Amino acid sequence: MQRKRRQRTITTIVIVAILVTVIVVAIVFIPRPPPNVVPLPAYLDHCVTGPMVYHSHPNLAITINGQAVVIPVTIDGSCPQPIHTHVETDQNQNYTLGDWFLLWGHAVNSQSQAIFNRTQIFNNKVDATHHITMTVNGANDTTDYQNLQFPRNAGTTADCAVPGGGCQPFNVIITYG
């Protein structure tokens, strides 16, 4: 009887030791995905869950060396973010064009996709033969491009043509070439 009890105790200790070893090995050696290379500020890094503070539809078009860039839907279906193809936010927060590029870079985990300023868009840098221009509603914009703030009531020209719509046309065209 004593011998069986001792044998069960030893078997239990061996099983627990094996389980602990397996868990430790799994924690140490199973690869984890690397962290996202484009960290987001807290006001962008959250899921929109509450009632909308505002909803805005700025229109953005990008052309690189004569080729239109497809604007992705930078949204995670399980966690809707405040900016995707338009702005839907549950925060009293103003958003900029730079915020949009950050979310785009974050969504594809690419630092170059998050870059937009007066001297560079994505991997494309201004040089003697390449320039970046940005127009807002047809007028050349002279702001720091990435700091261009989206109006809270933005819409496309067609959207804002509806009488009583209360929206402001906001069409941004970025060209590199």
Side-chain angles (χ1 to χ4, degrees), residues 36-146:
N36 197 304
V37 297
V38 182
L40 296 174
Y43 68 92
L44 289 176
D45 193 19
H46 82 285
C47 300
V48 175
T49 57
M52 294 299 126
V53 172
Y54 70 95
H55 189 156
S56 179
H57 282 262
N59 184 40
L60 175 63
I62 301 171
T63 303
I64 305 288
N65 294 321
Q67 298 294 314
V69 174
V70 175
I71 308 294
V73 178
T74 53
I75 186 167
D76 174 351
S78 64
C79 176
Q81 294 171 312
I83 303 174
H84 34 287
T85 54
H86 52 279
V87 178
E88 289 179 306
T89 184
D90 56 356
Q91 300 177 77
N92 188 17
Q93 172 73 39
N94 292 320
Y95 297 97
T96 66
L97 195 51
D99 292 333
W100 192 89
F101 276 87
L102 277 176
L103 281 169
W104 189 353
H106 184 82
V108 296
N109 199 20
S110 168
Q111 286 179 331
S112 66
Q113 289 296 115
I115 298 172
F116 176 59
N117 56 49
R118 290 178 108 20
T119 62
Q120 185 173 349
I121 182 167
F122 311 133
N123 285 325
N124 305 290
K125 295 182 181 182
V126 170
D127 59 26
T129 58
H130 296 91
H131 306 282
I132 296 174
T133 59
M134 183 171 82
T135 62
V136 178
N137 297 328
N140 281 333
D141 188 84
T142 58
T143 64
D144 285 334
Y145 292 165
Q146 70 274 16

